[in-house]
Amino acid sequence: MSVQERKQRERADRERLIVATARELAEQQGWDAVTTRRLAERIEYSQPVLYSHFRGKREIIGAVALEGAAEMASAVRAAASAADDPRTRVTALARTYLEFAERNPAVYDAMFQLDGGLAFAHEDTPEPLKDAFAALLESLGEVAGDGVHPGLFTEVFWAALHGLATLTRAGRLPPEDTGRRVKLLVDRLAVL
């Protein structure tokens, strides 16, 4: 291994450590607790080292969002691929999405609530975000119905899931009714 390759590997390792530490701290104490000073202390690097990887908290939030999008896409695909028919696939997708949001609130916030400097629904949207949407579209496109654009249907279904995740987490909807909400959403929106 060349010196250059070793340095690149070490840099990538430091970057993963920064993101993992930010994510852990945000999940434990919220995003307000994530500061460059705290991160530097936790990873035992100086703040200038941290700034050599990320210009600030906004970019760190963006990195966490991209990591979360990749994880969510993988989870949604795994759940959908285990299903035998469209109804079961869409139901599994919805449950997996909501479970991901519940298990990873800080990551979910980084993905959809906080400014991570990432473009959504644009040509320059980062690949992990495009792939997360594609993971939803793969199952939802088949149940959009005649004359309904699959991408538009996926956006509406995603918006409904996001609303359920956000309102349940905020205590506005009782969590014990989540299964019934998912069933209603699948029954009323999807053409099965």
Side-chain angles (χ1 to χ4, degrees):
M1 175 183 300
S2 73
V3 172
Q4 178 70 14
E5 289 171 331
R6 182 181 54 78
K7 285 184 178 187
Q8 286 174 339
R9 188 184 74 228
E10 289 171 355
R11 180 173 178 74
D13 288 345
R14 272 194 312 272
E15 197 164 295
R16 279 191 293 278
L17 178 62
I18 293 166
V19 171
T21 304
R23 183 176 174 166
E24 179 183 316
L25 186 57
E27 291 293 0
Q28 290 171 352
Q29 300 176 29
W31 278 104
D32 287 342
V34 179
T35 64
T36 53
R37 174 176 285 162
R38 263 198 167 150
L39 286 174
E41 288 171 1
R42 282 206 173 191
I43 64 174
E44 298 179 347
Y45 284 105
S46 67
Q47 283 182 304
V49 169
L50 206 112
Y51 283 116
S52 74
H53 291 273
F54 299 99
R55 285 182 279 188
K57 183 175 175 176
R58 181 179 188 220
E59 284 189 6
I60 294 169
I61 290 169
V64 170
L66 293 176
E67 189 176 271
E71 290 172 12
M72 188 178 73
S74 177
V76 163
R77 282 192 176 105
S81 70
D84 295 335
D85 60 83
R87 175 180 298 282
T88 309
R89 219 175 348 273
V90 173
T91 301
L93 174 150
R95 286 185 177 142
T96 299
Y97 182 99
L98 294 172
E99 288 166 4
F100 179 89
E102 182 183 357
R103 275 193 326 272
N104 305 285
V107 173
Y108 192 81
D109 284 350
M111 292 167 64
F112 301 122
Q113 302 288 103
L114 302 174
D115 179 9
L118 304 173
F120 281 80
H122 292 282
E123 286 183 25
D124 60 341
T125 298
E127 239 3 88
L129 298 179
K130 288 179 182 178
D131 190 52
F133 185 78
L136 298 174
L137 180 62
E138 289 161 13
S139 292
L140 295 172
E142 71 178 317
V143 298
D146 292 337
V148 177
H149 187 277
L152 186 61
F153 178 79
T154 300
E155 290 171 351
V156 170
F157 201 94
W158 171 31
L161 289 174
H162 176 70
L164 290 174
T166 304
L167 291 169
T168 301
R169 184 166 145 211
R172 305 298 194 271
L173 297 175
E176 62 271 11
D177 292 332
T178 297
R180 290 180 33 211
R181 285 188 201 96
V182 167
K183 182 177 180 346
L184 182 63
L185 183 63
V186 172
D187 289 348
R188 297 292 188 240
L189 282 184
V191 176
L192 301 164

